[in-house]
């Protein structure tokens, strides 16, 4: 049985932590670094050189040969270009490694190879990466050896953000500034900073590597484009929290080890609802670090899975008819003196600051439900959101019984006199301790749920970066805080003004609160009646980015300029078209070169059998019927295949990115469904040994 792991020893081993900087840097330089991390600003050139040298020495001691500015471009997980620490040999021919402050702080990847959404046309192709000093550098061990990764932000020559991190950092500053105003108004003069904390729960699938290599759809698109449901689906729900299979357990152990070495505090692991599906959750951290760590988690999952001869699927919907994967974005705000602004305490009705913050969040979410929905949109996620699976595409907020009751009292009477208690949980077994029940139960169908001391935004897709959802959340809440602070700072009677604002916001925005079943059709009708947006697809959601409301919001808080929003929108359209294009071409390929030939071969043999059976003077009705059914589906397939080729060719010729994306959605995708249906029917008619690639049962139950 496997090796033992000492968490305390290995945790952060591959990270250039503050602790390591304290050990390795001269005192004054160390102090400067800490002051920049905590208070912003820039390192002096001299100090940057010292830090770079210390960082390089540490990295080289640990076997690193290269460094890279690690960043999050607008499509794909992360990007890196490796440079060796090679300097020039000295006079004896000995290699002197080198790494300067300039190389640490600023990089120049070729911006033209990353999507810029038109920014490239208007501005120079050049782009810069700059070190995000608040996120520590780390060593990545991979097939390429050991590489020092420096987390960076990526901007164009004129300062437009070309990545996901820059706006996130801007939004954190915005919400910090506005939240501090609120905290001060409520009498806290000690806090100097309000941090955004984020804890992502990551879902994923694991399948056998060799089998996955036999499926073009998985290789090229990360999901299955064909496949009939196996006889056993997830009806039994026996997988959820079930015993972790031995090979998966070994994967998890290695994954944990790698992540702990990288300083990622991953804590919880369990099986998920679907067969082959699992979840991993780290302990929450400051937003930008949590987002970086989530990227590291996704990368590491893929890499470690390969070492275990498995493939990790991060796609939101790898298998039709089987639960998809999401990423719950747990979000809250904490002051640097330790107050969680979303902690209601035992008696939320008496906690005025909490109620006020809650009212502001509700206002923000209701006012910008469209933008929040957009922030969780990606092509793969269109298969989940609104597709009768967790959660619906309509944003609503779940508060739970206790808070809903407090809110109701506030709206009705302007005062909340009581808070419902959770009570004791009685198990009926005297030797088990009686513990306090939470006063909030869970509602798994809600896209935005209050869960004790944080909100849980459950719409984000499993393959997506957490940057976008948190950027939007931070900004909309910053706006609500700002508008409230503008009023409160001028108020003569603060208590009265707070009281009035809470009542006003809750009354005006109560339509966003929904505690019922988010999957039901009744809710869709009710939401429509309430006027809540129901945005069905990624590209419809992209349209909201350039609305007057969105531009005003993001420009006001310095998170995005109008130009940046337009560029992001264009990238979404381009990426959507590209993704569906690849999916369509893959289907065409699999249908023409694998499924149809296999079916024809099988049908040919069956036809011969029919003739032989008939020649033997026996009734061949069953065989004939089978053959007929096969031929019917084959005809349907061929028709859909020809149509898909034609539509795809048309879509590809459209020049305007938005029109092209919508053409793919409205004209190409439906035909992909038309091609899939008869193919899946054929899978049920053709002998298993004749089917050209592994089936759902092979992938999900025999992984
Ligand atoms: P579950 O939602 O499955 O019950 P947990 O309650 O353990 O799981 O929390 C899920 C995630 O929420 C974890 O990553 C956890 O660290 C994070 N979390 C807990 N408290 C906060 C907080 N105050 N702010 C942000 N995230 C938090
Ligand atoms: Mg959760």
């Amino acid at each position: 049985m496997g090796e033992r792991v000492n968490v305390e020893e290995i945790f952060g081993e591959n990270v250039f932590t503050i602790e390591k900087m304290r050990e390795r840097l001269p005192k004054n330089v160390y102090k400067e670094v800490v002051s920049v991390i905590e208070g912003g600003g820039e390192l002096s050139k001299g100090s940057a050189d010292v830090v770079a040298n210390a960082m390089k020495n540490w990295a080289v001691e640990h076997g690193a040969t290269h460094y890279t500015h690690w960043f999050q471009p607008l499509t794909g997980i992360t990007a890196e270009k490796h440079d060796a620490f090679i300097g020039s040999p000295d006079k004896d021919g000995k290699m002197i490694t080198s790494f300067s402050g300039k190389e640490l702080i600023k990089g120049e990847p070729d911006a033209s190879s990353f999507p810029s959404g038109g920014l490239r046309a208007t501005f120079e192709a050049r782009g810069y990466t700059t070190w995000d000093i608040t996120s520590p550098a780390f060593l990545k061990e991979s097939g390429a050896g050991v590489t020092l990764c420096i987390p960076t932000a990526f901007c164009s020559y004129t300062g437009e953000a070309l990545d996901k991190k820059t706006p996130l950092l801007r939004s954190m500053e915005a919400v910090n500034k506005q939240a501090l105003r609120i905290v001060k108004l409520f009498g806290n003069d000690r806090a100097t900073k309000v941090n955004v904390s984020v804890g992502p729960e990551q879902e994923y699938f694991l399948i056998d590597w060799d089998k996955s290599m036999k499926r073009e759809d998985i290789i090229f698109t990360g999901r299955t484009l064909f496949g009939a449901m196996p006889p056993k689906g997830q009806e039994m729900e026996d997988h959820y929290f079930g015993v972790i299979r031995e090979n998966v357990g070994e994967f998890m152990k290695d994954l944990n080890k790698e992540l702990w070495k990288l300083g990622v505090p991953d804590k919880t692991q369990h099986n998920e609802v679907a067969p082959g599906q699992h979840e991993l959750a780290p302990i929450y951290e400051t937003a930008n670090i949590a987002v970086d760590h989530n990227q590291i988690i996704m990368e590491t999952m893929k890499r470690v899975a390969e070492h275990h001869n498995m493939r990790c699927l991060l796609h939101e919907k790898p298998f039709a008819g089987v639960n998809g994967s999401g990423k719950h974005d747990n979000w809250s705000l904490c002051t640097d003196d330790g107050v969680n602004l979303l902690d209601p305490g035992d008696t939320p009705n008496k906690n005025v600051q909490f109620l006020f913050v809650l009212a502001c969040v509700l206002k923000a979410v209701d006012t910008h439900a469209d933008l929040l929905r957009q922030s969780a949109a990606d092509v793969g996620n269109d298969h989940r959101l609104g597709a009768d699976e967790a959660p619906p595409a309509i944003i609503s907020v779940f508060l739970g019984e206790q808070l809903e009751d407090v809110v109701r009292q506030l709206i009705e009477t302007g005062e909340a006199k009581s808070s419902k208690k959770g009570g004791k949980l009685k198990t009926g077994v005297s030797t088990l301790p009686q513990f306090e029940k939470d006063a909030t139960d869970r509602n798994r169908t809600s896209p935005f749920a209050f869960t004790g001391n944080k909100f849980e935004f459950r719409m984000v897709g499993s393959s997506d970066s957490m940057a976008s959802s948190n950027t939007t959340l931070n900004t909309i809440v910053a706006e609500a805080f700002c508008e409230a602070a503008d009023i409160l700072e001028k108020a003569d009677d603060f208590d009265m003004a707070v009281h009035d604002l809470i009542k006003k916001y809750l009354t005006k925005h109560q339509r966003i609160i929904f505690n019922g079943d988010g999957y039901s059709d009744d809710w869709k009708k009710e939401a429509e009646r309430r006027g809540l947006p129901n945005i069905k697809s990624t590209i419809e959601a992209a349209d909201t980015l350039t609305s007057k409301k969105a531009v005003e919001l993001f420009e006001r808080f310095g998170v995005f300029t109008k130009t940046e929003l337009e560029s992001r929108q264009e990238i979404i359209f381009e990426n959507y078209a590209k993704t569906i294009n690849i999916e369509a071409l893959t289907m065409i390929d699999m249908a023409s070169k694998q499924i149809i030939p296999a079916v024809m071969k099988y049908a040919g043999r069956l036809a011969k059998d029919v003739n032989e059976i008939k020649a033997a003077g026996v009734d061949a009705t069953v065989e004939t019927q089978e053959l007929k059914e096969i031929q019917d589906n084959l005809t349907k397939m061929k028709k859909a295949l020809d149509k898909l080729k034609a539509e795809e060719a048309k879509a590809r010729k459209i020049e305007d990115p938005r029109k092209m994306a919508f053409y793919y959605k409205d004209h190409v995708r439906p035909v992909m469904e038309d091609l899939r249906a008869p193919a899946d029917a054929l899978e049920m008619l053709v002998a298993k040994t004749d089917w050209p690639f592994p089936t759902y049962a092979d992938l999900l139950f025999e992984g």
Side-chain angles (χ1 to χ4, degrees):
M1 285 289 168
E3 98 216 81
R4 311 212 168 190
V5 177
N6 183 330
V7 188
E8 284 181 13
E9 250 168 45
I10 64 169
F11 194 84
E13 188 178 287
N14 284 351
V15 187
F16 197 57
T17 52
I18 302 242
E19 179 59 24
K20 288 186 186 110
M21 289 202 241
R22 197 173 55 81
E23 281 163 17
R24 286 172 179 259
L25 295 175
K27 220 180 195 141
N28 60 331
V29 177
Y30 169 74
K31 275 198 178 142
E32 198 181 322
V33 170
V34 172
S35 113
V36 175
I37 290 177
E38 283 171 2
E42 258 177 70
L43 279 188
S44 65
K45 197 189 158 306
S47 297
D49 280 330
V50 177
V51 176
N53 195 49
M55 198 187 273
K56 180 216 63 183
N57 288 342
W58 168 78
V60 170
E61 279 164 32
H62 287 78
T65 52
H66 290 72
Y67 70 91
T68 183
H69 277 203
W70 185 81
F71 63 98
Q72 298 165 33
L74 291 169
T75 55
I77 297 191
T78 51
E80 43 194 69
K81 180 185 111 197
H82 295 181
D83 277 301
F85 287 120
I86 297 283
S88 35
D90 68 6
K91 60 181 188 345
D92 304 321
K94 181 176 161 13
M95 175 53 60
I96 310 286
T97 56
S98 83
F99 185 50
S100 69
K102 191 162 165 272
E103 287 169 303
L104 165 65
I105 284 171
K106 191 167 127 214
E108 265 189 74
D110 178 8
S112 61
S113 32
F114 296 98
S116 77
L119 285 176
R120 210 157 47 234
T122 347
F123 305 99
E124 265 204 76
R126 217 185 298 193
Y128 294 109
T129 48
T130 40
W131 184 27
D132 170 13
I133 195 169
T134 58
S135 182
F138 59 93
L139 296 176
K140 183 156 126 183
E141 294 172 271
S142 70
V146 182
T147 305
L148 171 70
C149 294
I150 301 152
T152 55
F154 182 36
C155 292
S156 77
Y157 186 67
T158 37
E160 275 85 13
L162 292 172
D163 68 350
K164 294 175 186 155
K165 174 174 253 186
T166 309
L168 174 68
L169 292 172
R170 293 172 183 164
S171 75
M172 288 166 68
E173 289 191 6
V175 79
N176 167 43
K177 189 167 156 203
Q178 302 306 329
L180 266 181
R181 290 173 72 191
I182 300 295
V183 169
K184 290 228 153 69
L185 279 164
F186 276 90
N188 180 345
D189 289 324
R190 295 170 316 266
T192 61
K193 201 169 177 186
V194 177
N195 284 309
V196 183
S197 39
V198 166
E201 297 164 66
Q202 174 76 47
E203 292 180 337
Y204 61 99
F205 278 86
L206 286 176
I207 57 172
D208 179 73
W209 177 268
D210 298 335
K211 283 182 192 148
S212 80
M213 287 304 280
K214 295 195 177 113
R215 294 201 53 138
E216 278 179 28
D217 47 4
I218 292 179
I219 296 172
F220 295 135
T221 73
R223 73 176 181 112
T224 57
L225 299 166
F226 295 100
M229 273 305 290
K232 180 183 167 189
Q234 62 196 58
E235 299 83 15
M236 310 276 289
E237 303 219 326
D238 52 358
H239 183 73
Y240 192 51
F241 278 26
V243 175
I244 294 167
R245 273 209 326 247
E246 198 63 4
N247 60 341
V248 173
E250 280 163 21
F251 157 85
M252 285 179 173
K253 190 178 81 182
D254 267 5
L255 176 64
N256 287 334
K257 205 172 89 186
E258 289 308 307
L259 291 175
W260 289 333
K261 283 202 288 194
L262 288 164
V264 178
D266 83 79
K267 183 174 167 68
T268 313
Q269 59 194 25
H270 59 80
N271 288 348
E272 260 303 324
V273 182
Q277 194 186 28
H278 313 279
E279 181 185 296
L280 177 145
I283 294 173
Y284 67 91
E285 299 173 280
T286 303
N288 63 319
I289 297 174
V291 169
D292 281 358
H293 280 171
N294 182 248
Q295 301 295 120
I296 292 179
I297 288 173
M298 291 193 285
E299 277 184 41
T300 312
M301 279 178 167
K302 286 183 172 247
R303 201 158 40 79
V304 173
E306 250 188 88
H307 285 283
H308 288 261
N309 205 41
M310 291 193 276
R311 187 188 286 269
C312 172
L313 301 179
L314 293 171
H315 194 282
E316 285 75 12
K317 194 74 179 173
F319 304 97
V322 177
N323 246 32
S325 301
K327 178 149 39 195
H328 293 175
D329 178 358
N330 293 275
W331 177 94
S332 75
L333 296 168
C334 292
T335 64
D336 57 356
D337 68 332
V339 181
N340 178 351
L341 301 188
L342 286 171
D343 190 351
D346 290 337
T347 47
N349 59 311
K350 291 191 196 135
N351 188 341
V352 180
Q353 180 181 301
F354 165 75
L355 291 174
F356 178 76
V357 170
L358 180 73
C360 287
V361 173
L362 288 174
K363 175 184 181 223
V365 173
D366 185 34
T367 310
H368 298 295
D370 56 340
L371 294 177
L372 203 53
R373 157 71 179 96
Q374 190 286 321
S375 76
D378 78 30
V379 195
N381 222 7
D382 281 1
H383 297 278
R384 286 175 73 232
L385 303 183
D388 294 319
E389 191 189 306
I394 308 159
I395 296 265
S396 64
V397 181
F398 170 79
L399 290 181
E401 211 186 322
Q402 187 187 36
L403 276 190
E404 202 198 358
D405 174 57
V406 170
V407 167
R408 191 185 44 75
Q409 294 178 52
L410 283 167
I411 292 173
E412 281 171 10
T413 67
E415 248 181 294
K417 292 215 159 72
S418 61
S419 289
K420 289 189 178 180
K421 287 270 173 294
K424 297 263 191 245
L425 185 76
K426 295 206 176 69
T427 56
V429 180
S430 61
T431 49
L432 289 179
Q434 285 197 351
F435 51 86
E436 297 281 338
K437 274 198 293 195
D438 282 335
T440 46
D441 193 12
R442 311 219 139 209
N443 174 334
R444 297 194 169 270
T445 65
S446 176
F448 201 83
F450 183 75
T451 46
N453 61 357
K454 62 187 165 34
F455 274 103
E456 189 169 334
F457 183 33
R458 301 189 177 128
M459 268 191 177
V460 185
S462 49
S463 71
D464 208 357
S465 157
M466 303 273 293
S468 163
S469 57
N470 287 299
T471 301
T472 301
L473 254 173
N474 295 344
T475 313
I476 65 178
V477 172
E479 182 191 58
F481 283 163
C482 174
E483 287 171 359
D486 286 347
I487 296 168
L488 293 179
E489 280 164 359
K490 289 195 213 100
D492 296 329
D493 181 343
F494 175 75
D495 291 345
M496 203 53 210
V498 170
H499 175 273
D500 287 351
L501 272 188
I502 294 178
K503 181 155 193 243
K504 184 176 154 203
Y505 289 168
L506 292 179
T507 309
K508 180 145 185 244
H509 299 286
Q510 56 180 310
R511 65 171 187 168
I512 199 74
I513 302 172
F514 177 63
N515 288 335
D517 177 5
Y519 297 171
S520 69
D521 280 333
D522 287 351
W523 168 233
K524 278 184 206 138
K525 284 187 215 119
E526 166 68 11
E528 200 180 327
R529 201 186 55 71
R530 293 189 192 181
L532 300 177
N534 183 2
I535 305 173
K536 303 250 165 46
S537 71
T538 290
I539 49 178
E540 283 155 289
D543 279 339
T544 67
L545 278 177
T546 47
S547 71
K548 191 163 166 281
K549 175 171 81 91
V551 174
E552 273 171 16
L553 167 80
F554 287 118
E555 290 209 323
R556 179 172 177 199
F557 293 94
V559 174
F560 288 117
T561 61
K562 184 160 184 270
T563 317
E564 286 172 331
L565 287 167
E566 284 164 352
S567 79
R568 259 150 231 260
Q569 187 181 54
E570 191 170 318
I571 290 167
I572 294 170
F573 293 140
E574 280 170 3
N575 188 47
Y576 184 90
K578 236 184 245 165
T579 308
I580 308 296
N581 165 264
I582 294 171
E583 290 187 349
L585 293 179
T586 306
M587 282 190 98
I588 292 171
D589 209 62
M590 290 172 80
S592 340
K593 295 191 190 144
Q594 294 186 290
I595 304 176
I596 293 180
V599 174
M600 290 202 297
K601 209 161 146 195
Y602 181 77
R605 279 206 321 265
L606 194 54
K608 269 198 209 110
D609 290 351
V610 170
N611 283 337
E612 280 172 24
I613 293 167
K614 278 188 183 160
V618 190
D619 175 36
T621 315
V622 176
E623 289 78 1
T624 313
Q625 252 172 21
E626 282 269 308
L627 187 58
K628 201 176 154 311
E629 250 183 86
I630 289 175
Q631 289 305 104
D632 280 352
N633 279 302
L634 200 55
T635 312
K636 281 188 203 150
M637 252 194 101
K638 175 74 178 131
K639 237 171 104 185
L641 177 62
D642 290 342
K643 184 150 181 230
L644 184 56
K645 284 184 192 162
E647 291 293 0
E648 205 286 311
K650 264 194 226 164
R652 206 199 296 221
K653 288 209 191 78
I654 302 172
E655 277 183 15
D656 176 64
R658 184 176 182 280
K659 283 200 184 116
M660 188 191 212
F662 274 87
Y663 197 89
Y664 269 105
K665 173 170 100 56
D666 296 328
H667 298 278
V668 177
R669 271 183 73 160
V671 191
M672 288 164 62
E673 296 300 318
D674 294 345
L675 177 59
R676 177 173 183 152
D680 289 358
L682 283 164
E683 190 191 315
M684 303 301 288
L685 292 165
V686 170
K688 181 159 173 52
T689 43
D690 284 75
W691 200 247
F693 40 74
T695 63
Y696 273 24
D698 298 329
L699 294 170
L700 288 171
F701 293 97
E702 293 160 30

